[in-house]
């Protein structure tokens, strides 16, 4: 496809995403049985906005990965390419995880940012989770602090105040 790389990891250092590489990368993530670290690199190489066109395939790779590296790579790719339209899928992946699964930690910030009230409420519901609770608490506090600061600024510049 016109790229010279010695390793899949070389794709991560490109200054621009290479859309021509995406169909090849998703096929390798779906079907190849490379070492765990290579599978992770393939997934991480898909961590670009244009990979959203492979959303359903990335979800399948994440759900059905038999290798920790492939699953983590798919999680990173999902997090990087998600849009508001797919945020419900990240909520579902996080909700339906095994209790000891820590990979959905990648999703929490995007869920907070793109999920609106539903996303913020969902992340707040995880504050007592033994695996995701620390990150959920930090994100919830940050959002509360930011919202409080915005309300304070709005009040400070209220044209109705004498």
């Amino acid at each position: 496809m016109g790229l010279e790389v010695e390793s899949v990891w070389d794709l991560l250092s490109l200054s621009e995403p290479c859309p021509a590489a995406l169909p090849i990368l998703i096929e390798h993530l779906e079907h190849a049985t490379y070492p765990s670290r290579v599978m992770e690199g393939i997934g991480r190489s898909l961590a670009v906005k244009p990979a959203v066109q492979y959303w359903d395939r990335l979800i399948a790779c994440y759900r059905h990965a038999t290798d920790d590296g492939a699953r983590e790579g798919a999680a990173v790719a999902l997090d990087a390419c998600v849009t508001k339209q797919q945020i419900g899928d990240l909520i579902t992946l996080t909700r339906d995880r095994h209790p000891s699964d820590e990979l959905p930690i990648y999703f929490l910030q995007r869920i907070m940012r793109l999920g609106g009230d539903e996303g913020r409420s969902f992340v707040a519901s995880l504050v007592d989770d033994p695996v995701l609770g620390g990150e959920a608490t930090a994100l919830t506090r940050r959002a509360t602090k930011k919202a409080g600061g915005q309300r304070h600024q709005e009040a400070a510049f209220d044209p109705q105040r004498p």
Side-chain angles (χ1 to χ4, degrees), residues 80-157:
C81 73
V82 68
T83 68
K84 286 182 181 183
Q85 289 73 36
Q86 295 90 15
I87 208 69
D89 291 336
L90 290 189
I91 290 172
T92 298
L93 289 174
T94 303
R95 184 179 290 127
D96 295 347
R97 79 189 204 290
H98 185 276
S100 65
D101 184 3
E102 63 186 35
L103 283 179
I105 203 162
Y106 285 113
F107 306 149
L108 298 184
Q109 188 170 3
R110 298 276 191 216
I111 291 170
M112 280 290 282
R113 199 180 73 194
L114 299 176
D117 290 340
E118 177 188 5
R120 288 186 292 277
S121 176
F122 175 71
V123 172
S125 76
L126 297 172
V127 297
D128 294 325
D129 185 279
V131 176
L132 303 178
E135 182 69 9
T137 299
L139 289 168
T140 302
R141 283 184 182 156
R142 203 172 310 141
T144 301
K145 187 176 180 180
K146 185 177 179 182
Q150 287 175 344
R151 282 193 297 272
H152 178 73
Q153 285 179 344
E154 289 169 6
F157 296 108

Side-chain angles (χ1 to χ4, degrees), residues 18-96:
C18 182
L22 298 180
I24 295 165
L25 290 166
I26 192 70
E27 281 190 36
H28 282 276
L29 189 63
E30 290 173 321
H31 303 296
T33 53
Y34 299 108
S36 182
R37 188 82 170 123
V38 174
M39 294 299 288
E40 180 185 345
I42 292 169
R44 286 181 180 274
S45 295
L46 285 159
V48 294
K49 285 290 181 194
V52 73
Q53 65 186 311
Y54 302 108
W55 183 259
D56 292 335
R57 292 168 74 181
L58 285 168
I59 291 238
C61 287
Y62 178 82
R63 283 190 171 139
H64 304 296
T66 57
D67 174 274
D68 290 342
R71 191 155 180 273
E72 182 164 351
V76 172
L78 287 165
D79 178 62
C81 73
V82 68
T83 68
K84 286 182 181 183
Q85 289 73 36
Q86 295 90 15
I87 208 69
D89 291 336
L90 290 189
I91 290 172
T92 298
L93 289 174
T94 303
R95 184 179 290 127
D96 295 347

